[in-house]
Amino acid sequence: NAGVTQTPKFRILKIGQSMTLQCTQDMNHNYMYWYRQDPGMGLKLIYYSVGAGITDKGEVPNGYNVSRSTTEDFPLRLELAAPSQTSVYFCASSEYYEQYFGPGTRLTVT
Amino acid sequence: GESVGLHLPTLSVQEGDNSIINCAYSNSASDYFIWYKQESGKGPQFIIDIRSNMDKRQGQRVTVLLNKTVKHLSLQIAATQPGDSAVYFCAENTNAGKSTFGDGTTLTVKP
């Protein structure tokens, strides 16, 4: 199993641009999550999903959107990128409690 | 409570010493706890877990202690090695699928 994969690994965006961060898991997990982690800080939950077709906001959802059309995929959309969205983004999945994290996407907005 | 804007606490230990990382959790109804390790440039990874009906669990070189009375978790690492340098997060759970992560502690091991 590849586990949780994320693309791209790195991206530089200009202010106002949009992009989609991709996340795929091959463990057939129902739960999936998006977190952001600013330098030297903890994890903040952006959005999560309890299954295909069901998503909900986390702690910091503003400026982001998600969809979950399949069990495997949980893309995160950034609209009108702002410098405050410069961060490392982690996708994770779980069956019960333990979360499996992807390697992260490092995003810089300038 | 929330610690928005605060950098992670740090712990510096000498190689070979024991390390103790502490975590205060917020929900007295939490019944399952996990410690994660995040190495530089990587996502967090599971280290050890403990259920609320236990007060101690041991793994390989790691021990987790749970004190439900004061809502406190600790992670003890025996004979700390340079490879243990990382950020350590605790997570509390009341339901499957939803974890609340602590702020994290940065552990630095000096050779």
Side-chain angles (χ1 to χ4, degrees):
Chain A
N1 286 353
V4 179
T5 57
Q6 292 183 238
T7 57
K9 285 186 168 48
F10 305 94
R11 183 73 186 266
I12 299 174
L13 278 183
K14 293 191 185 304
I15 296 170
Q17 287 185 323
S18 301
M19 76 164 293
T20 299
L21 282 67
Q22 302 291 346
C23 175
T24 301
Q25 54 97 2
D26 62 359
M27 296 172 282
N28 203 34
H29 288 167
N30 284 321
Y31 303 99
M32 294 189 74
Y33 316 83
W34 275 105
Y35 296 90
R36 60 175 287 174
Q37 186 177 35
D38 298 335
M41 308 288 273
L43 298 166
K44 292 187 179 179
L45 182 65
I46 305 171
Y47 271 97
Y48 67 99
S49 169
V50 301
I54 306 169
T55 62
D56 206 349
K57 295 177 181 178
E59 182 185 356
V60 290
N62 291 343
Y64 308 94
N65 275 301
V66 294
S67 59
R68 182 101 181 265
S69 57
T70 67
T71 299
E72 296 78 19
D73 299 308
F74 190 40
L76 177 72
R77 178 82 177 161
L78 278 72
E79 304 282 1
L80 298 175
S84 61
Q85 293 178 305
T86 293
S87 192
V88 180
Y89 291 84
F90 289 102
C91 179
S93 72
S94 71
E95 185 58 33
Y96 295 106
Y97 295 115
E98 180 185 348
Q99 294 191 20
Y100 296 79
F101 286 81
T105 294
R106 187 174 296 274
L107 176 68
T108 302
V109 183
T110 61
Chain B
E2 193 173 333
S3 59
V4 174
L6 296 179
H7 283 257
L8 303 178
T10 59
L11 174 66
S12 184
V13 300
Q14 205 70 36
E15 181 177 358
D17 287 351
N18 297 333
S19 303
I20 299 177
I21 299 170
N22 296 303
C23 175
Y25 65 93
S26 57
N27 189 344
S28 57
S30 294
D31 61 359
Y32 189 86
F33 304 87
I34 299 175
W35 279 100
Y36 291 86
K37 174 186 181 183
Q38 184 181 24
E39 296 179 6
S40 182
K42 298 184 179 180
Q45 284 192 299
F46 172 96
I47 304 174
I48 191 167
D49 57 0
I50 188 167
R51 290 197 174 276
S52 60
N53 61 354
M54 305 170 69
D55 52 21
K56 180 179 180 179
R57 187 153 191 229
Q58 288 185 289
Q60 189 176 14
R61 281 200 309 117
V62 294
T63 300
V64 55
L65 299 178
L66 175 62
N67 185 329
K68 293 183 289 293
T69 303
V70 295
K71 293 190 285 187
H72 184 267
L73 271 174
S74 68
L75 178 70
Q76 300 178 358
I77 304 173
T80 312
Q81 302 168 0
D84 295 325
S85 292
V87 177
Y88 291 82
F89 293 98
C90 67
E92 57 179 303
N93 304 267
T94 50
N95 298 301
K98 190 83 182 294
S99 296
T100 300
F101 284 84
D103 293 333
T105 295
T106 300
L107 175 66
T108 301
V109 181
K110 297 176 289 187

